[in-house]
């Protein structure tokens, strides 16, 4: 064991060293470090949010909801990014990096798009950063792409036009012409799916969504009438427009028979055979026991049958 002198000066030196170490251990992160850490966290959350939006697109095919979800993700990123930089300024500091929010967003988008292509059967590899923002436009608004693929193809065209350009710069196309072509093929495939079919909203049941030339993510308006029952009457019964389940019916009646219908009268295709009673005979005009009918109804004669009478 080494013994040290317990002089007053030595004790003061030890106390100062302990205080310095304690101060270093308890000191919090600097404003710059807080900004950097916060931006890392915000970028990670944006990545998770964008991946969740991609999940919804694959599960439902609803491009309107997909565009809204991406916009919501970006809104949160912008708000957080702005606040972090403002907090640094308030603390008389400057974030280690500024003005690169969109570039980081595009890079994250590129990675998310690459994963989406890969899990959909394509080639894994981050999409070009320069193409990411254009792919967002295609995914968010297929109608724009349908009118003109120039939005996507403008950036991808540089890759498709020159293999050397892609191979020469990982930042431009990540060193893979196939990745660029795969991204364009994905966009083309989505467009083909989105424009398939000729159904109008009136051809699809109310509340059911579909995609056709009627629009992207359109909702049907055809009413569901279920089981419809019609009862014959003295006038035509209208059949309401819409879907019928097939469980309905047109009511029938067993009394619809020729023997119940006057001769010369036809009801729903059945011609009557009943002769309408007429005449003015009374019971006294008809032999007793014989039946007859007149305009007033049926009756039985009461005229006596005297047989052979000799006078």
């Amino acid at each position: 064991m080494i013994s040290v002198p317990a002089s007053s000066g030595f004790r003061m030196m030890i106390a100062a060293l302990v205080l310095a170490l304690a101060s270093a251990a308890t000191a919090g992160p600097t404003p710059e470090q807080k900004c950097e850490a916060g931006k890392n966290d915000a970028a990670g959350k944006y990545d998770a949010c964008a991946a969740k939006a991609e999940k919804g697109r694959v599960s439902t095919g609803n491009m309107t909801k997909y565009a809204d979800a991406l916009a919501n993700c970006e809104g949160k990123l912008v708000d957080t990014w702005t606040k972090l930089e403002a907090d640094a300024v308030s603390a008389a500091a400057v974030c280690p990096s500024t003005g690169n929010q969109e570039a980081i967003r595009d890079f994250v988008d590129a990675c998310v798009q690459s994963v989406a292509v890969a899990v959909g059967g394509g080639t894994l590899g981050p999409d070009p950063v320069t193409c990411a923002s254009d792919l967002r436009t295609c995914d968010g608004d297929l109608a724009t792409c349908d009118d003109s693929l120039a939005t996507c193809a403008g950036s991808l065209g540089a890759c498709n036009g020159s293999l050397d350009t892609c191979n020469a710069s990982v930042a431009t196309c990540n060193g893979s012409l196939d990745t660029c072509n795969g991204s364009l093929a994905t966009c083309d495939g989505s467009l083909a799916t989105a424009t398939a079919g000729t159904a109008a909203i009136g051809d699809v049941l109310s509340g059911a969504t579909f995609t056709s030339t009627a629009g992207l993510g359109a909702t049907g308006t055809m009413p569901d009438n279920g089981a419809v029952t019609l009862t014959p009457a003295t006038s035509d019964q209208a059949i309401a427009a819409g879907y019928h389940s097939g469980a309905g019916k047109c009511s029938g009646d067993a009394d619809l028979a020729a023997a119940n219908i006057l001769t010369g009268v036809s009801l729903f295709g059945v011609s009557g055979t009943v002769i309408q009673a007429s005449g003015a005979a009374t019971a006294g005009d008809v032999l007793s026991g014989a039946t007859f009918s007149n305009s007033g109804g049926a009756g039985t004669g009461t005229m006596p049958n005297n047989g052979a009478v000799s006078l």
Side-chain angles (χ1 to χ4, degrees):
M1 172 179 283
I2 300 175
S3 61
V4 294
S7 65
S8 176
F10 182 79
R11 286 196 298 269
M12 290 179 65
M13 180 181 70
I14 294 298
L17 178 60
V18 170
L19 287 173
L21 291 174
S23 176
T26 59
T30 65
E32 291 85 351
Q33 290 171 327
K34 287 182 179 180
C35 183
E36 180 180 355
K39 285 185 175 181
N40 272 286
D41 182 59
K45 289 180 178 179
Y46 176 76
D47 178 65
C49 187
K52 186 176 181 180
E54 197 67 32
K55 170 189 172 184
R57 179 188 67 79
V58 174
S59 301
T60 66
N62 191 322
M63 300 307 298
T64 300
K65 288 186 177 179
Y66 173 61
D68 291 342
L70 276 182
N72 183 55
C73 296
E74 184 172 0
K76 292 179 180 178
L77 178 67
V78 171
D79 291 344
T80 302
W81 215 265
T82 302
K83 184 178 184 302
L84 288 170
E85 293 187 347
D87 289 346
V89 173
S90 298
V94 178
C95 292
S97 66
T98 57
N100 60 348
Q101 171 196 320
E102 292 185 359
I104 290 177
R105 178 205 66 190
D106 288 348
F107 183 83
V108 173
D109 284 348
C111 293
V112 171
Q113 287 291 333
S114 178
V115 171
V117 171
V119 298
T123 303
L124 180 64
D127 286 320
V129 175
T130 54
C131 298
S133 59
D134 295 307
L135 290 174
R136 281 169 56 88
T137 301
C138 288
D139 287 334
D141 185 6
L142 286 174
T144 300
C145 288
D146 193 25
D147 291 337
S148 174
L149 285 175
T151 304
C152 286
S155 296
L156 295 171
C159 297
N160 294 333
S162 173
L163 181 61
D164 293 337
T165 300
C166 288
N167 291 335
S169 174
V170 174
T172 302
C173 283
N174 197 40
S176 173
L177 181 61
D178 291 336
T179 300
C180 294
N181 290 333
S183 300
L184 184 58
T186 300
C187 190
D188 288 341
S190 299
L191 291 174
T193 301
T195 57
T198 59
I201 58 175
D203 300 326
V204 180
L205 278 177
S206 178
T209 57
F210 68 103
T211 302
S212 75
T213 53
L216 302 174
T219 302
T221 59
M222 179 194 298
D224 187 348
N225 297 323
V228 177
T229 299
L230 298 177
T231 301
T234 57
S235 60
D236 292 342
Q237 303 299 303
I239 299 176
Y243 169 77
H244 304 281
S245 67
K249 63 181 181 180
C250 179
S251 299
D253 194 323
D255 289 333
L256 182 63
N260 296 325
I261 304 173
L262 288 175
T263 182
V265 177
S266 178
L267 295 179
F268 298 106
V270 179
S271 297
T273 59
V274 176
I275 298 175
Q276 185 175 12
S278 63
T282 64
D285 300 326
V286 181
L287 282 176
S288 178
T291 59
F292 71 99
S293 62
N294 58 26
S295 58
T300 302
T302 59
M303 180 191 296
N305 186 351
N306 296 322
V309 177
S310 296
L311 298 177

